[in-house]
Amino acid sequence: MRLTALVGDAHTMIYPTDAPNYDINIRWLKEGLFLLSSSDEWKDHLGKKLTAVDGKPIQQVTDKLKTVISHENEQWFKTQAADLLRNSQVLYGLSIAEKPGEIVLSLEDANGEISQVRVKGTPVDQRDKLQYSFMKSMTGQYPMNYVNNGRYYWHLYMEDQQALYIQYNMCSDSPGQSVEQFIDEIKQTVKNHPIDKVMVDLRNNRGGNSLLIRSLLSAIVLEEFNQPERLFVFIGKNTFSSGMKNAMEFRKWTKATLVGEPTGGKPRAYGDVQPFQLPHTGLQGQYSTKYFNNAEDDDTPSLMPDILVEPSIEELQEGRDFCLEYALRTERQ
């Protein structure tokens, strides 16, 4: 993992082995790293900020993780670092964890009190489904980008606001419905309902085939709601690869306003990956085969939003979605 990280290409990597993982879900928000979901044993600590692992300050922990994470910008590093904090083998291999399959998390609550929580790794066939969520426990509802985020794509017509919300999480045909069939459903919704605003949510989209959404782009260009104050695209740290490219296409071909935070994907980067397996260890990975010059005059590390809205612990505590709220309250010119 260290060797592939040195390449500096976010698409070229060794996959972490499927070691006993910790039944926790940590995410990097504006204020830092927070425990957002867990199994039953640690549910009382949801919403607390991670300050140390096995006594090592979180800055030291993330510095070590940076040496094994393939990334081209800070956003994608933050996404991958939060994911790897669940991996017992990586944490032990980097000497972050003192023992294999066991860590002690230092978690700070809103009052500044710190709890020491011992977490043990769980084998693959015994893993919990992280049924306890901080957002759900606080308000009974989730921010929109956490709703159905395991589905490839879905949409919702919000009748009171005459708004159409489209969540596009994977640039790939789902087993039960192709992207083209999904887009046909959207077109039918637009035809049958008054539409004041359209919001396309790419915050969970880590890639696939960027070409699949082209017919939706072509249709939107011709619609009356193709205006900056009526068409919005949400982006974030998880918007990567083809997901990021689709966001760039919305910016290029429509009048959409991009709302959220800088993407995990880099506009000018390598991609189009092929798999490989190391012959002696059996470790698997992938490597890039093509350079994509998606931004001829722009070598910025991320696609930048027009309106910066960073996910925060406040947003999750209240079960709100600040990107969605911004779009809905924006008035027509």
Side-chain angles (χ1 to χ4, degrees):
M1 292 178 73
R2 281 195 177 102
L3 288 175
T4 52
L6 288 172
V7 175
D9 165 28
H11 284 86
T12 296
M13 69 186 76
I14 291 284
Y15 304 141
T17 57
D18 203 11
N21 275 8
Y22 302 114
D23 278 341
I24 55 175
N25 180 15
I26 292 171
R27 283 293 170 259
W28 207 315
L29 306 176
K30 180 170 63 175
E31 302 89 347
L33 287 154
F34 288 82
L35 179 63
L36 295 189
S37 56
S38 74
S39 54
D40 176 72
E41 191 172 354
W42 306 291
K43 64 181 180 180
D44 292 338
H45 299 284
L46 295 177
K48 294 182 179 180
K49 184 177 181 179
L50 179 64
T51 61
V53 178
D54 273 1
K56 299 173 182 65
I58 199 62
Q59 184 62 56
Q60 183 180 339
V61 171
T62 56
D63 286 346
K64 288 190 174 187
L65 287 172
K66 188 165 284 190
T67 66
V68 298
I69 293 176
S70 299
H71 64 285
E72 294 161 302
N73 57 43
E74 280 298 303
Q75 292 292 83
W76 190 242
F77 163 70
K78 288 179 177 180
T79 292
Q80 296 297 295
D83 288 345
L84 281 185
L85 282 168
R86 297 185 60 192
N87 190 292
S88 64
Q89 192 170 61
V90 170
L91 296 187
Y92 183 65
L94 290 173
S95 299
I96 294 171
E98 299 293 334
K99 300 178 181 179
E102 182 178 314
I103 52 174
V104 175
L105 304 178
S106 299
L107 297 170
E108 182 180 0
D109 66 16
N111 297 318
E113 295 185 10
I114 296 179
S115 304
Q116 303 298 329
V117 181
R118 188 175 301 277
V119 182
K120 293 186 177 181
T122 306
V124 178
D125 59 351
Q126 298 176 25
R127 285 180 195 162
D128 206 294
K129 293 185 178 180
L130 305 182
Q131 72 269 38
Y132 290 97
S133 166
F134 172 63
M135 292 86 71
K136 193 73 171 179
S137 65
M138 290 292 291
T139 64
Q141 61 185 11
Y142 293 103
M144 191 66 90
N145 61 310
Y146 286 87
V147 177
N148 296 328
N149 60 5
R151 294 172 61 179
Y152 282 41
Y153 31 74
W154 61 278
H155 71 283
L156 172 70
Y157 179 68
M158 306 167 73
E159 188 171 1
D160 290 346
Q161 295 89 355
Q162 295 186 354
L164 177 61
Y165 172 83
I166 302 167
Q167 191 175 115
Y168 189 57
N169 296 325
M170 189 175 294
C171 305
S172 179
D173 291 325
S174 74
Q177 181 189 46
S178 69
V179 173
E180 197 59 42
Q181 290 171 328
F182 173 65
I183 292 173
D184 286 342
E185 277 189 4
I186 292 172
K187 291 178 180 178
Q188 198 64 35
T189 300
V190 172
K191 180 180 178 181
N192 294 335
H193 296 85
I195 302 291
D196 182 49
K197 293 179 179 178
V198 171
M199 296 152 289
V200 181
D201 195 342
L202 301 177
R203 286 175 289 182
N204 301 317
N205 195 315
R206 296 192 180 191
N209 183 350
S210 62
L211 300 178
L212 294 177
I213 205 173
R214 290 285 175 85
S215 63
L216 178 61
L217 278 163
S218 300
I220 285 176
V221 167
L222 302 175
E223 291 290 343
E224 181 185 350
F225 55 73
N226 182 22
Q227 301 173 29
E229 68 278 4
R230 298 182 64 187
L231 177 61
F232 301 88
V233 175
F234 302 156
I235 59 175
K237 284 190 287 288
N238 280 306
T239 310
F240 181 73
S241 193
S242 291
M244 183 273 307
K245 187 174 182 181
N246 284 162
M248 293 187 70
E249 290 173 328
F250 268 100
R251 172 169 280 172
K252 180 177 181 180
W253 299 111
T254 75
K255 299 177 182 178
T257 297
L258 271 58
V259 181
E261 56 180 342
T263 60
K266 183 182 179 183
R268 295 170 68 175
Y270 290 89
D272 199 1
V273 301
Q274 292 293 324
F276 67 85
Q277 184 172 20
L278 298 179
H280 297 294
T281 62
L283 290 172
Q284 297 180 335
Q286 65 183 42
Y287 63 96
S288 296
T289 63
K290 185 178 179 181
Y291 181 68
F292 292 90
N293 189 11
N294 294 316
E296 294 181 3
D297 300 320
D298 186 3
D299 196 28
T300 56
S302 297
L303 175 65
M304 305 302 290
D306 300 307
I307 304 297
L308 178 64
V309 179
E310 296 179 277
S312 70
I313 192 64
E314 175 194 358
E315 178 181 19
L316 301 185
Q317 283 173 333
E318 299 175 4
R320 298 167 61 188
D321 187 330
F322 290 170
C323 287
L324 182 70
E325 290 179 12
Y326 174 85
L328 291 176
R329 71 170 179 262
T330 300
E331 298 182 359
R332 290 198 201 186
Q333 297 282 316

